[in-house]
C-alpha cells in the first residue's frame, strides 16, 4: 500500500456536489490556555479526528491547542479534489497566526501530509516556530506512478489510503477514495518543502513507524539530510502503522511530544525529561 494503491480495474466515479456537510467527528478543535501553544496539522484525506486525542492530551498537560480542519477534508473526496495544497497551507497558516497572537511561544505538530505543512510553517516563520513534532511525515513518495499523475486526469480517484492502523477496530474517519487531482497538488507541496529544508533550524522530534503502508522511508531520509536543526530526534515505533496517533503507540507519542515541548518552552508548562521511548535515529 502507498499513496497510490496497487494496480486494479477502477470503476468510474463522477464528481459530486461542490460542497458537502462537515462530518461531526471532523470538526476543528480549540482548547486550553496559557502562554505555550501547539498547532496540530492532520493528514491527506483525513480530518481532525485522527489528531483530536493528541490535542486533548496536550490541553490536559497545560498547552493551548489549535487543530484546524483542512479545506476539502471531513466532507467528501469530491470536494477535496477541488482544493489545492495552497488552500491547505493557508488554513494552517491562519491557525498559526491566530495561535501566535494568543501565546508567547508556538510549537507545530503534524501527521503525514500534516508533517509537510508543519515543515513549511517552520521554513516560512523561522524562530517564530519553537519546534516541530512530526508523526510519519510525508514529503516524498518513491512510487514512479506519482510522476505521471497528470496522465490519470480522466480518473478522478483511486481506492483510499485511510485506516492504516495496526490496532483492530479503530477508524480514522478518512475517505474511502484517494482524489487524484488533490494528490497531484500535494506533490507540489512536497517539492516546495524539500527545496527549503535548509531553512529548518528548530528542534525536531520525529516519530517513525517501522511498518508504514502509506509513506515510504524516503521522506525521513530527506528530512534528516536536509534540515539544519541542531536537535533532530527520531523515535522508532514498533507497534503502530501509519496513523500512529490512533494506534498502539499513541500514548507514547502524546507523552513524549509533551515533554519535548516543555523542554523547549521558555515559559508555561514545565517538566523534566521522560525516559527515552523506542529507538533513536
Amino acid at each position: 500500500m502507498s499513496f497510490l494503491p496497487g494496480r486494479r480495474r477502477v470503476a468510474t466515479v463522477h464528481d459530486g456536489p461542490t460542497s458537502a456537510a462537515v462530518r461531526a467527528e471532523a470538526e476543528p478543535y480549540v482548547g486550553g490556555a496559557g502562554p505555550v501553544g501547539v498547532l496540530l496539522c492532520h493528514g491527506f484525506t483525513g480530518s481532525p479526528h485522527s489528531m483530536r486525542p493528541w490535542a486533548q492530551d496536550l490541553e490536559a498537560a497545560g498547552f493551548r491547542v489549535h487543530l484546524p480542519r483542512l479545506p476539502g477534508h471531513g466532507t467528501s473526496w469530491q470536494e477535496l479534489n477541488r482544493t489545492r495544497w495552497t488552500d491547505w497551507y493557508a488554513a494552517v497558516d491562519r491557525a498559526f497566526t491566530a495561535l501566535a497572537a494568543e501565546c508567547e511561544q508556538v510549537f507545530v505538530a503534524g501527521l503525514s501530509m500534516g508533517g509537510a505543512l508543519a515543515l513549511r510553517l517552520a521554513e516560512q516563520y523561522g524562530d517564530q516556530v519553537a519546534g516541530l513534532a512530526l508523526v510519519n511525515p510525508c514529503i516524498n513518495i518513491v512510487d514512479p506512478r506519482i510522476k505521471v499523475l497528470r496522465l490519470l486526469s480522466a480518473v478522478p480517484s483511486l481506492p483510499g489510503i485511510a485506516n492504516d492502523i495496526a490496532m483492530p477496530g479503530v477508524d480514522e474517519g478518512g475517505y474511502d477514495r484517494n482524489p487524484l487531482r488533490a494528490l497531484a497538488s500535494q506533490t507540489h507541496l512536497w517539492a516546495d518543502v524539500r527545496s527549503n529544508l535548509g531553512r529548518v533550524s528548530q528542534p525536531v522530534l520525529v516519530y517513525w513507524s517501522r511498518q508504514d503502508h502509506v509513506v515510504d522511508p524516503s521522506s525521513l531520509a530527506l528530512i534528516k539530510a536536509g534540515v539544519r536543526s541542531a536537535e533532530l530526534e527520531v523515535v522508532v515505533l514498533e507497534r503502530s502503522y501509519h496513523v500512529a496517533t490512533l494506534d498502539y503507540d499513541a500514548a507514547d507519542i502524546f507523552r513524549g511530544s509533551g515533554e519535548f515541548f516543555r523542554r523547549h518552552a521558555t515559559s508555561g508548562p514545565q517538566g523534566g525529561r521522560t525516559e527515552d521511548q523506542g529507538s533513536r535515529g
Side-chain angles (χ1 to χ4, degrees):
M1 184 175 179
S2 70
F3 265 103
L4 286 174
R7 289 183 174 85
R8 66 185 78 180
R9 188 171 66 86
V10 180
T12 301
V13 181
H14 298 287
D15 284 358
T18 57
S19 63
V22 178
R23 302 173 185 177
E25 70 275 11
E27 292 288 352
Y29 185 84
V30 174
V36 180
V38 182
L39 170 64
L40 298 102
C41 310
H42 69 76
F44 184 69
T45 77
S47 77
H49 177 70
S50 64
M51 306 283 277
R52 186 178 297 265
W54 192 2
Q56 291 174 329
D57 188 272
L58 290 169
E59 178 185 3
F63 297 95
R64 180 159 181 79
V65 297
H66 279 210
L67 171 54
R69 179 184 66 85
L70 303 181
H73 293 78
T75 55
S76 70
W77 68 262
Q78 293 94 337
E79 184 166 273
L80 178 54
N81 236 356
R82 294 185 172 92
T83 65
R84 298 295 178 264
W85 78 264
T86 49
D87 302 315
W88 315 327
Y89 180 75
V92 299
D93 187 273
R94 287 192 298 270
F96 177 82
T97 300
L99 194 55
E102 301 167 349
C103 300
E104 297 175 7
Q105 217 175 1
V106 178
F107 295 87
V108 184
L111 166 65
S112 192
M113 182 188 75
L117 296 172
L119 283 163
R120 192 171 199 274
L121 285 170
E123 292 169 353
Q124 298 298 314
Y125 282 96
D127 59 10
Q128 293 181 62
V129 174
L132 300 173
L134 312 176
V135 178
N136 294 319
C138 184
I139 61 169
N140 189 68
I141 292 291
V142 297
D143 190 324
R145 291 173 294 166
I146 286 287
K147 299 179 181 179
V148 296
L149 281 175
R150 61 184 178 83
L151 303 179
L152 300 175
S153 59
V155 181
S157 71
L158 290 175
I161 57 171
N163 290 333
D164 188 37
I165 302 171
M167 185 182 294
V170 179
D171 183 2
E172 70 165 306
Y175 295 149
D176 60 0
R177 306 293 299 180
N178 190 356
L180 292 189
R181 285 191 291 275
L183 176 58
S185 183
Q186 186 183 182
T187 66
H188 297 298
L189 167 64
W190 298 341
D192 182 272
V193 170
R194 291 195 304 265
S195 67
N196 291 294
L197 282 175
R199 296 183 182 179
V200 178
S201 59
Q202 301 90 335
V204 180
L205 171 63
V206 180
Y207 288 94
W208 181 75
S209 295
R210 195 177 297 279
Q211 296 187 70
D212 186 328
H213 308 99
V214 176
V215 174
D216 62 66
S218 64
S219 289
L220 177 61
L222 287 165
I223 291 169
K224 291 171 70 174
V227 302
R228 295 189 298 106
S229 306
E231 180 181 342
L232 172 60
E233 180 180 17
V234 178
V235 179
V236 178
L237 307 176
E238 302 287 356
R239 302 179 298 163
S240 299
Y241 295 166
H242 183 64
V243 191
T245 53
L246 295 178
D247 217 330
Y248 288 114
D249 295 296
D252 289 342
I253 293 171
F254 303 164
R255 183 172 57 250
S257 61
E259 191 278 331
F260 172 80
F261 299 145
R262 284 192 297 270
R263 188 165 74 248
H264 292 284
T266 56
S267 60
Q270 300 294 324
R273 186 184 182 98
T274 58
E275 293 182 1
D276 288 351
Q277 306 161 41
S279 304
R280 297 300 191 264

